[in-house]
Amino acid sequence: MTPRAADRARYDRATAHLDAPLAVVDLDAFDANAEDLVRRAGGKPIRVASKSVRCRALLERVLARDGFAGIMSFTLDESVWLARAGFEDVLLAYPSADRAGFAELAGDPKLAAAVTVMVDDPAQLELIDSARHGGKEEIRLCLELDTALQLLGGRVRIGARRSPLREPAQLAELARSIARRPGFRLVGLMAYEGHVAGVGDSLVGRPVRSRAIRLMQGAARRELAARRAAVVRAVRAVTPDLEFVNGGGTGSVQHTAAEDAVTEIAAGSGLYVPRLFDNYTSFTGRPAALFAQPVVRRPGVGVVTVLGGGYPASGAAGADRLPVPYLPEGLRYDPQEGPGEVQTPLLGSPADDLLIGDKVWFRHAKAGEMCERFDTLQFIEGDRVTGTAPTYRGEGRTFL
């Protein structure tokens, strides 16, 4: 029996009493992935990206481990909710225009001490001030650095379009503006190198492209390490008591941790290990989060149909954004239909061994987005369900 076949047998036994659709997290795999992230971080704390987890129970589980500290959130509403739930160090990774959220933050000393918000433009400070509604609490701020690799004098850009702040002088100037402005305190810097941390460098059947990606990422790491160090020096000259410099992501943990200027690493997807993380040479994780759809039809030889399953991931549309049929091994989509909203035909010889009501197990392309489709996660240890917990959606929270 192959390891994947053994996993299928375990998951089927564990959930035999449960009807699909359902979602599971293999806690043994989850914990092993957490341990590997800590190893790769080399002693620097890991801030957990909540966007990649979207389950409070699992955030609590991983933060109870040595090597993890703090949350990186994705909306201000989520940040406030987590802080009210007892999480004491929440870094909002994206600028916000949530005026009600800023009013709540400015009016509550406990929230203001727990939440740090992201800015990269003086206009965002104006928005926050206009939203205070009498709240006097000091707002903790983090500046974001643009990490993109620019070539040919800026005519070629590789990396996400995030912050407009790129050069040390730009960040130092905004830091000075914050220092002159009452009601704000600059406490951190963030730089997310998504073109390194979030792009696989070992694509099956594409050796030339894989080598090109590795060359690009090597150049990007060298360029960013030098520029990030210069930015940190420039900002610390204005704000010597900066609390943290955050960088990295699941795919670049060990490289970013090696930079002296970086004090903490961000990671989250590496806990679940979705399909987009199958194509890396730098690490290998264990798939920990899966969802199951039930077989509801057997249209013919070599084909079964499961209920639903059309859960594409965000990003540029493409086949790599689709969930992948994972267990049993050997199933594939019908190219004329793909994964559908209400039904998904699956082709391949394993279909002939599946019966009505059997489960087909899928891996989502991204990590936390799976949780937007399910209210509850079943926690599996060995071949038993040992617990359950609501996702954000199961707690009535859909932040985006």
Side-chain angles (χ1 to χ4, degrees):
M1 182 180 290
T2 67
R4 279 174 60 175
D7 282 342
R8 181 197 174 201
R10 286 197 301 115
Y11 299 150
D12 282 348
R13 284 196 299 271
T15 63
H17 62 296
L18 300 172
D19 289 335
L22 58 86
V24 304
V25 171
D26 183 330
L27 291 182
D28 295 330
F30 181 90
D31 290 344
N33 293 333
E35 183 176 341
D36 187 60
L37 286 169
V38 171
R39 177 190 62 80
R40 291 167 58 207
K44 292 189 177 177
I46 298 171
R47 185 179 290 274
V48 184
S50 63
K51 180 173 72 71
S52 301
V53 179
R54 302 192 204 197
C55 171
R56 281 200 296 161
L58 290 176
L59 291 173
E60 291 168 353
R61 183 183 184 91
V62 73
L63 286 170
R65 301 178 65 94
D66 290 341
F68 290 85
I71 288 176
M72 177 176 284
S73 58
F74 59 98
T75 73
L76 183 53
D77 191 17
E78 180 209 16
S79 305
V80 169
W81 179 64
L82 290 173
R84 290 204 180 282
F87 294 96
E88 297 179 347
D89 180 6
V90 182
L91 169 62
L92 174 57
Y94 304 87
S96 177
D98 180 357
R99 290 179 171 83
F102 285 126
E104 193 171 0
L105 202 62
D108 188 317
K110 180 182 176 182
L111 293 180
V115 176
T116 301
V117 302
M118 192 67 59
V119 296
D120 57 33
D121 190 315
Q124 294 156 353
L125 304 178
E126 295 286 350
L127 186 146
I128 295 171
D129 266 341
S130 71
R132 287 178 183 269
H133 297 303
K136 301 297 185 182
E137 295 301 321
E138 189 174 63
I139 304 300
R140 292 166 53 88
L141 300 179
C142 179
L143 300 182
E144 182 171 6
L145 166 67
D146 172 37
T147 65
L149 176 64
Q150 293 189 358
L151 305 172
L152 301 177
R155 292 190 294 276
V156 175
R157 176 189 174 90
I158 302 172
R161 295 185 180 276
R162 293 175 63 112
S163 171
L165 304 176
R166 181 171 181 81
E167 301 303 328
Q170 293 175 296
L171 285 100
E173 177 53 37
L174 186 50
R176 282 190 288 270
S177 176
I178 291 167
R180 293 190 297 264
R181 192 171 190 134
F184 295 98
R185 181 157 63 98
L186 180 60
V187 298
L189 288 172
M190 187 189 85
Y192 171 58
E193 54 267 38
H195 51 302
V196 178
V199 177
D201 62 352
S202 180
L203 307 180
V204 176
R206 306 184 71 179
V208 175
R209 180 167 176 78
S210 296
R211 176 165 174 74
I213 290 172
R214 288 194 290 272
L215 291 172
M216 176 277 290
Q217 290 179 336
R221 286 196 300 267
R222 291 189 295 272
E223 186 276 336
L224 178 59
R227 185 158 52 89
R228 179 154 42 197
V231 165
V232 172
R233 287 193 299 270
V235 174
R236 284 197 186 278
V238 179
T239 310
D241 57 347
L242 209 61
E243 295 176 14
F244 63 86
V245 177
N246 182 281
T250 289
S252 68
V253 170
Q254 65 270 37
H255 301 297
T256 308
E259 296 182 32
D260 291 338
V262 174
T263 67
E264 64 175 40
I265 309 299
S269 295
L271 296 168
Y272 285 174
V273 186
R275 66 166 293 195
L276 283 178
F277 286 88
D278 286 348
N279 303 315
Y280 283 78
T281 57
S282 61
F283 78 101
T284 301
R286 292 173 55 183
L290 302 96
F291 65 90
Q293 304 295 120
V295 173
V296 292
R297 284 177 170 161
R298 291 171 50 88
V301 175
V303 56
V304 292
T305 301
V306 299
L307 182 70
Y311 306 154
S314 59
D320 65 342
R321 302 291 152 164
L322 301 179
V324 60
Y326 185 61
L327 303 171
E329 297 180 66
L331 293 173
R332 65 187 186 279
Y333 292 124
D334 182 335
Q336 296 186 68
E337 295 194 47
E341 179 186 13
V342 290
Q343 72 161 37
T344 297
L346 297 169
L347 311 179
S349 57
D352 294 330
D353 296 323
L354 291 169
L355 304 176
I356 299 296
D358 283 352
K359 296 179 177 78
V360 175
W361 296 90
F362 293 77
R363 293 170 64 202
H364 204 280
K366 288 193 172 181
E369 291 185 22
M370 179 189 80
C371 295
E372 297 296 335
R373 299 288 184 166
F374 296 91
D375 293 341
T376 303
L377 297 176
Q378 309 291 329
F379 294 157
I380 291 179
E381 295 179 81
D383 61 357
R384 296 185 302 120
V385 170
T386 58
T388 64
T391 60
Y392 280 12
R393 167 177 156 161
E395 295 199 66
R397 301 287 180 163
T398 51
F399 295 106
L400 282 176

